[in-house]
């Protein structure tokens, strides 16, 4: 069948015609925000108290072990040890406490300063895209392949795997580097804490199950 001739009159210039990308149109990625909105029915945040309750004893134990090792070397069981040696060991211990305390404080601040880590509603959820930043992406329930629970060191995580792998492709280089280990182990960099959240794990999983209404597998 022959094509009808083009209509008479001037034709639009080339730059006004719709440009179709090679391979056709693609589904646009989900919206990205610098901070998860807090107006959804269910919102989960970090718990600084829970993190501190786990990290502080670990730091104190580590400092105690190092201080004992240094003290054993600096204060031998003979008459050569002086009060100056004991002062040096005490000063070393204090420096360790300050250094490790500052490191733990900085880590907790980086992890918890980005606002909520998860927000869900009947239409979908917001999930963080970086472990130490507030950037997040919106995924409708139809765009989620599965939700699972995994362990990362001392922490238990909620892992959200998108149905379309291109959802992680427009989040920037820093996000790709920041979440690379999580993606390597779990197949997705979209995670939220369960152990160190301000809500119990059972409460979070119950809310996710109810709001998703059976549209995705949850393990």
């Amino acid at each position: 069948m022959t094509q009808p001739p083009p209509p008479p009159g001037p034709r639009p210039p080339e730059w006004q015609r719709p440009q179709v990308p090679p391979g056709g149109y693609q589904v646009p990625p989900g919206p990205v925000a610098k901070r998860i909105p807090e107006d959804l029915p269910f919102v989960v945040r970090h718990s600084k108290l829970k993190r501190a309750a786990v990290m502080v004893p670990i730091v104190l134990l580590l400092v105690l072990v190092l201080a004992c090792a240094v003290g054993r070397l600096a204060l031998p069981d003979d008459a050569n040890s002086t009060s100056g040696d004991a002062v040096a060991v005490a000063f070393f211990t204090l420096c360790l406490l300050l250094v490790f305390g500052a490191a733990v404080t900085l880590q907790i601040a980086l992890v918890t300063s980005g606002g909520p880590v998860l927000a869900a509603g009947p239409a979908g959820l917001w999930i963080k895209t970086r472990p130490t930043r507030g950037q997040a992406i919106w995924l409708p329930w139809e765009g989620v392949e599965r939700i699972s629970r995994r362990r990362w060191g001392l922490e238990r995580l909620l892992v959200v795997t998108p149905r379309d792998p291109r959802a992680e492709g427009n989040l920037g280089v820093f996000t790709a580097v920041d979440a690379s280990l999580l993606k390597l182990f779990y197949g997705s960099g979209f995670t939220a804490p369960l152990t160190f959240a301000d809500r119990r794990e059972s409460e979070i999983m119950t809310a996710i199950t109810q709001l998703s209404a059976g549209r995705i597998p949850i393990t």
Side-chain angles (χ1 to χ4, degrees):
M1 180 181 296
T2 59
Q3 296 291 333
R11 302 182 64 185
E14 194 70 24
W15 61 271
Q16 291 182 347
R17 298 177 185 175
Q19 301 295 320
V20 179
Y25 292 103
Q26 296 180 350
V27 178
V32 177
K34 293 183 178 180
R35 189 182 180 96
I36 293 180
E38 302 186 30
D39 56 350
L40 272 73
F42 187 76
V43 179
V44 180
R45 301 173 180 84
H46 275 288
S47 173
K48 295 181 181 180
L49 182 60
K50 288 182 180 180
R51 285 194 176 274
V54 172
M55 297 301 297
V56 170
I58 293 176
V59 169
L60 292 178
L61 178 61
L62 181 59
V63 170
L64 179 62
V65 171
L66 292 176
C68 290
V70 172
R72 185 73 180 94
L73 295 175
L75 302 173
D77 295 331
D78 55 34
N80 296 327
S81 61
T82 64
S83 59
D85 296 331
V87 172
V89 172
F91 180 75
F92 175 77
T93 303
L94 179 61
C95 290
L96 284 180
L97 284 173
L98 292 176
V99 171
F100 283 103
V104 169
T105 302
L106 178 61
Q107 181 190 25
I108 293 177
L110 286 175
V111 171
T112 60
S113 61
V117 295
L118 176 71
L125 58 80
W126 284 97
I127 184 72
K128 290 187 67 175
T129 62
R130 302 180 66 178
T132 58
R133 293 294 186 274
Q135 179 178 282
I137 189 171
W138 167 259
L139 294 173
W141 293 120
E142 293 76 14
V144 177
E145 181 178 346
R146 67 180 179 275
I147 291 180
S148 56
R149 285 171 285 184
R150 303 292 180 86
R151 184 169 295 280
W152 173 259
L154 299 174
E155 187 170 8
R156 192 169 173 84
L157 298 174
L158 181 78
V159 182
V160 178
T161 303
R163 191 175 301 276
D164 188 348
R166 293 173 299 182
E168 302 181 37
N170 68 324
L171 301 176
V173 176
F174 290 106
T175 297
V177 173
D178 206 9
S180 57
L181 284 178
L182 295 177
K183 188 175 181 181
L184 177 64
F185 283 109
Y186 308 138
S188 173
F190 301 158
T191 63
L194 292 173
T195 305
F196 300 120
D198 65 342
R199 296 174 181 267
R200 297 189 305 273
E201 178 179 343
S202 58
E203 183 182 359
I204 295 174
M205 300 310 300
T206 299
I208 292 295
T209 301
Q210 292 177 350
L211 292 170
S212 62
R215 285 170 282 186
I216 54 173
I218 300 175
T219 58

